[in-house]
Amino acid sequence: MPTTAVSGSASGIGAAVCQALRAAGHRIIGIDREHAEVIADLSSAAGRQAAISAVLEQSAGVLDGLVCCAGVGSSALSNTIVAVNYFGVTELLDGLVGALAKGHEPAAVVIGSVAATHGNPELQPMVAAMLAGNEALTLEHANALEKSSVAYASSKYAVTCNVRSRAVPWAKQGIRLNVVAPGAVETPLHQASLNDPRFAKAVREFVAPLGRAGHPEEIAQVVAFLLSSQASFIHASVMFVDGGMDAMVRPARF
Ligand code: NAD
């Protein structure tokens, strides 16, 4: 039975991932702020280290899968967004890569976002700070931002680049790693944006070509596929699961 750790397991896409993976025969070690096998706050370095230690203890140091799904949306504070969505992912990847290297056909998935391609986040100085692993400088940039949506897009862009930078070293250790980039998906995070007067109109009007938001299960099925042996040649890819949003926004670029 494969053992897979899933962050953000208590809600939305992460909960659906756990359900899909359990149905596929995985033992799940969920990581979340509550209702999980490992209770931890991924917004702080201490919380991330506590999560890593608990996962290593519960898995006896061997993982077959890892899904980094925990995240906060644009309605959160900018400094929380970068702390959870970037450092809460990359530190889990760093802390658990050794356990994955000992697993059977190990694979990992990071949940990014179609927002990573919106508004040129690559030009944001905070992206360079994130990619340099400098959390203090990233938080400084985040605190100076007017729009938390910029922090969100930047965190998802940077985390996607971080995954791509692992293509060679992780392959050398026999571990596949991919990004799933969802569009709008009906979860509490999405609902929080719809309830936020700063974003409600834009979120309501930004509809995918398929004419609707996705369901968490539609993302979870792709994550389960990417962790399975059926995806054995898919590595360091970014898979948009967005009802066509990315192609709609930038039809002539990819
Ligand atoms: P959600 O709010 O339903 O679930 C997020 C989970 O992450 C929650 O269980 C929450 O407790 C956990 N989490 C948040 N901060 C944490 C922290 N500091 N420590 C530990 N756990 C923490 O949201 P969701 O929509 O299922 O989001 C899952 C992922 O999907 C996120 O990374 C999000 O950015 C991404 N995403 C969502 C959408 C969407 O429209 N829902 C679109 C693109 C990407």
Side-chain angles (χ1 to χ4, degrees), residues 7-16 31-35 38-44 47-48 51 68-74 80 83-85 88-89 110-115 152 155-156 180-193 203 213-214 216 219 241 245:
S7 77
S9 58
S11 176
I13 295 169
I31 309 163
D32 211 306
R33 289 176 294 191
E34 54 182 8
H35 307 306
V38 171
I39 307 292
D41 179 359
L42 297 173
S43 70
S44 75
R48 295 167 206 142
C68 293
C69 188
V72 291
S74 294
T80 308
V84 178
N85 294 6
V89 172
V110 166
I111 306 297
S113 173
V114 72
Y152 186 76
S155 70
K156 293 298 187 178
V180 167
V185 181
E186 288 173 359
T187 68
L189 180 153
H190 183 59
Q191 192 57 47
S193 297
V203 173
I219 310 300
V241 188
M245 249 181 196

Side-chain angles (χ1 to χ4, degrees), residues 121-136:
E122 67 278 12
L123 302 178
Q124 286 294 327
M126 71 164 61
V127 166
M130 283 187 264
L131 293 176
N134 189 336
E135 188 166 8

